[in-house]
Structures are given as C-alpha cells and as structure tokens.
Amino acid sequence: MTLPPPAAALRPHAEQSFAEELAALERADSRTRPPGWRLSPWAVTRYILGGTLEDGTEITPKYIGARRVVEVAVATLATDRALLLLGVPGTAKTWLSEHLAAAIAGDSTLLVQGTAGTAEEAIRYGWNYARLLAEGPSEAALVPSPIMTAMSEGRPARVEELTRIPSDVQDALITVLSEKTLPVPELGTEVQAKRGFNVIATANDRDRGVNDLSSALRRRFNTVVLPVPATVEDEIDIVTRRVADLGRSLELPEVPTSLAEIRRVVTVFRELREGATADGRAKVKSPSGTLSTAEAISVVTSGIALAAHFGDGTLRPADVAAGIHGAVVQDPVSDGVVWREYLETVARDRDGWDDFYRACREVSG
Ligand SMILES: Nc1ncnc2c1ncn2[C@@H]1O[C@H](COP(=O)(O)OP(=O)(O)O)[C@@H](O)[C@H]1O
Ligand SMILES: [Mg+2]
C-alpha cells in the first residue's frame, strides 16, 4: 500500500514524507510491538514527538505539546478501545491522527471524512450497482468502506469530524467497536477485525458538542483533549517549524522569516482569542473566527509567498497584514469593528509596531 512519493504529489501522505524516519525507527526499535503494529508504542511516541536515535538519525517532531497527551493516545490504541481526539479547530487533531496511523501501520489513508452527508456505506460497505444488478450480491460486487478494509487488514482507520456525522450513521460504528465485527447479511457472512484494527476519530468541540455522540458510542472511545498551545513561546515554536516545513514542501523561495514577524502574528491571534493583552493590562474584544495556530501558520506562509514573489524577499508587516485581516474579519461588520478597535487601542502605541499598524490600517481602509 505504501508507494514511494510520486514526485508531483502536492501533499504526500505522512508515511511517504517520513518514510526514512519510519524505517530508521523500525530498525532501532527492539521493544515489543502490539499485534499488527509496525512499531512499538515507544517508537510511535518517538516518531510523533521527535528526538535523536542511537544511530544518529534525527526524528523531527510532528506534534509539539505535552508528552503525556501523546502517550495516552498511543497507549489507548494499543488496547481495544478506540481513540477520540477532541479540541477546538486547529489544535492538530487531524495532523496527529494521520501521523499516528502512519507510524502504527505505515498507512494513513483509510479515512472516512465525516460530514452531514456521510452515509452508512462510508462506515459499513456499499455495492457496485452494475455488478449487483448483473450478478446479484457477491463478494465481487461489494465495495468495502475504509473501516471494513481496516478491519480485514488489521490496521487503524481514521474518522474525521465524527460529530458531524448524523447520529444514526454514527451508530453503525457501535457494533464495529464493541463486537469488532461487521456483518454482511446479504452474503450471510461477516468481516472479523484482525488484530491491529482500531479507530482514530477526531471531533471539534466548537461547531457541535460532543454530546451529539450517543453515550453508547462515547463509551467505546477514550477521549484525549488536544489543548491550544499553553504559552506564546510554544505557539511561536509550532508556527516557526510548520512554516519552515511547508515552505520546503511547497518549494517556496527562501525568505528570511523574521522571528519578530511570527511573534507578532501569534501575539495578535492570542490576544484576540483570549480577550486581553499579553501583559493582562487591557481587555480586548474577540472576533467571531477561531484564530487558531493553524490559521497563524497559513497567514505566515502566504506572507512568505507575497514577500518572495512581490516584495523585497524579506517577510515584512505588509506581507502579513492582508492575511491577518482576512483571518480576523470574517464578518465584515462586527469583526471589522473589533479589528479596528484592536488596531487603535493596542497596536498603534506598541513599541516597534508602527509599520505593522500602518500596513493593517491600509488593508482595513
Ligand atoms: N501542537 C501542534 N504541534 C504541531 N503542529 C500543530 C500543532 N497545533 C497545530 N499544528 C499545525 O496546525 C495545522 C492544522 O492542524 P489540524 O490537524 O488540521 O487541526 P484540527 O484538525 O485540530 O482542526 C497542522 O498543519 C499542524 O501542523
Ligand atoms: Mg481536523
């Protein structure tokens, strides 16, 4: 299943991008591996958090945050309980889920994207109707869902945005998770999950509550909450690393990214999110958007593209101003007021923020 990265893939899967790291970990890993796992829980955790192996291989950190969070997630997957990663948008739920699947099975592609329109076939199985009509129900006419494939191959399946899936469809997961089997009454058979099967789900605790998860289903999951970065330094670290990774993979021209510019984007986002200035002295109104770490990453990345192609090759306040404006002002009326108030009461008089203030004023008119 794991193919080498096609040179032109816009976004290779984690197991492709980090194939060398995964191979080095596999060689170095002498600990017990749970049935069906390519790596031990220790090595999976090392892959996620980064570090240097005895043979000198550098493992880059994927998730930046508390070790315990990752250990609990990995330990859960080594049991027969499924894992639910919960948090506000942009806390790396999807990111962590992909890397967990890549490290455990070398395959992060067995994925169900949860939406209001997700049907039961996406969780159980569907039919190739041409064949079904021609031959009647048969193994060849059956189209397995990613979950069914994960069960029969003994790998983890990922379910994105679980709570957006209608409840009756979610319930199809209950049998899968409790009985570890998926009956196919049309064929009089069932698929029994092989060891190594598990489910990694993500859910957003912003758009709809986790209460929408039926209690029967909820009991099948261990919930791990991914927090927003605790300190401004942590968040700057995440943004800096991810921006560098993204710039490399998009092959953006090298732009000296001033740390000061990243710090400013992160500071603005945090102050607006938290409703107070970093020193705690002044209150600030919060806009309607989430202003997540993920959005800070994309503001800086687009700033770099602007600087490289249209600017003087250095990331300047004017290169991030438009991106920040777009992230903050989602509702042109109410958020526009909040943003202008922030600019006038906080940004204008801050030391070293003159250029930034002017650039933002220009964008917001
Ligand atoms: N703690 C973190 N460590 C590493 N990357 C992070 C962290 N928080 C956010 N990110 C980055 O933010 C981006 C978006 O995360 P994503 O997984 O899509 O968020 P979610 O699914 O929680 O909405 C990813 O590119 C990820 O690298
Ligand atoms: Mg997500």
Side-chain angles (χ1 to χ4, degrees):
M1 192 72 203
T2 20
L3 304 167
L10 184 55
R11 186 190 179 289
H13 301 301
E15 59 274 21
Q16 297 172 322
S17 303
F18 298 97
E20 280 167 30
E21 289 189 10
L22 289 167
L25 278 161
E26 216 171 329
R27 283 194 303 275
D29 189 13
S30 54
R31 308 191 184 212
T32 318
R33 303 173 192 192
W37 286 35
R38 305 247 308 234
L39 297 174
S40 68
W42 172 85
V44 172
T45 308
R46 178 50 62 94
Y47 169 76
I48 304 279
L49 293 169
T52 311
L53 299 183
E54 266 169 32
D55 69 1
T57 310
E58 209 39 66
I59 307 293
T60 53
K62 317 298 178 305
Y63 179 75
I64 298 152
R67 163 171 296 272
R68 201 64 191 161
V69 167
V70 177
E71 287 173 348
V72 172
V74 174
T76 297
L77 291 169
T79 69
D80 67 344
R81 283 170 69 82
L83 173 65
L84 175 62
L85 299 173
L86 189 68
V88 297
T91 43
K93 300 179 295 296
T94 302
W95 178 248
L96 182 57
S97 139
E98 177 182 358
H99 284 289
L100 283 169
I104 290 171
D107 179 6
S108 62
T109 62
L110 295 172
L111 171 69
V112 177
Q113 181 63 51
T115 68
T118 302
E120 230 181 68
E121 289 84 59
I123 290 177
R124 303 177 72 227
Y125 52 88
W127 298 99
N128 173 334
Y129 288 105
R131 280 201 114 132
L132 186 64
L133 289 176
E135 305 163 12
S138 69
E139 196 112 4
L142 187 132
V143 180
S145 69
I147 306 270
M148 188 183 240
T149 306
M151 293 173 80
S152 58
E153 295 182 358
R155 299 158 186 253
R158 298 165 54 205
V159 180
E160 279 289 311
E161 306 288 2
L162 177 61
T163 50
R164 289 197 193 157
I165 300 178
S167 330
D168 54 324
V169 179
Q170 281 180 25
D171 284 348
L173 270 176
I174 295 178
T175 333
V176 167
L177 292 179
S178 58
E179 311 296 326
K180 309 286 193 254
T181 176
L182 191 52
V184 187
E186 293 90 337
L187 301 180
T189 60
E190 61 172 12
V191 172
Q192 260 187 310
K194 281 216 188 91
R195 285 145 74 99
F197 167 73
N198 211 329
V199 170
I200 308 172
T202 67
N204 197 325
D205 61 8
R206 258 287 175 95
D207 42 59
R208 272 171 60 188
V210 71
N211 306 326
D212 295 316
L213 220 56
S214 73
S215 56
L217 187 53
R218 177 123 210 215
R219 263 186 283 120
R220 266 79 195 180
F221 282 100
N222 250 2
T223 303
V224 170
V225 176
L226 297 188
V228 288
T231 66
V232 67
E233 300 306 329
D234 288 351
E235 196 160 356
I236 290 172
D237 186 29
I238 297 170
V239 174
T240 310
R241 285 173 195 271
R242 289 294 297 138
V243 163
D245 291 348
L246 278 170
R248 260 193 306 278
S249 70
L250 295 172
E251 297 186 34
L252 287 178
E254 290 269 342
V255 163
T257 15
S258 75
L259 187 61
E261 221 43 67
I262 294 183
R263 174 177 296 273
R264 183 149 44 208
V265 173
V266 170
T267 304
V268 169
F269 274 33
R270 287 182 76 88
E271 291 184 329
L272 288 170
R273 213 158 62 202
E274 284 161 16
T277 52
D279 58 12
R281 291 237 189 97
K283 281 208 160 122
V284 180
K285 291 205 188 85
S286 290
S288 59
T290 40
L291 299 179
S292 63
T293 313
E295 284 167 284
I297 293 168
S298 85
V299 165
V300 176
T301 304
S302 20
I304 288 176
L306 278 173
H309 297 300
F310 305 109
D312 64 0
T314 303
L315 186 64
R316 308 263 181 217
D319 301 318
V320 293
I324 293 196
H325 183 89
V328 175
V329 183
Q330 309 261 317
D331 177 317
V333 181
S334 61
D335 293 335
V337 172
V338 169
W339 181 227
R340 271 191 298 279
E341 192 173 310
Y342 179 86
L343 286 176
E344 296 307 325
T345 58
V346 181
R348 194 177 60 177
D349 300 324
R350 222 173 236 173
D351 273 352
W353 281 42
D354 302 0
D355 289 350
F356 176 74
Y357 168 75
R358 265 191 310 261
C360 291
R361 276 298 305 263
E362 221 161 274
V363 177
S364 67

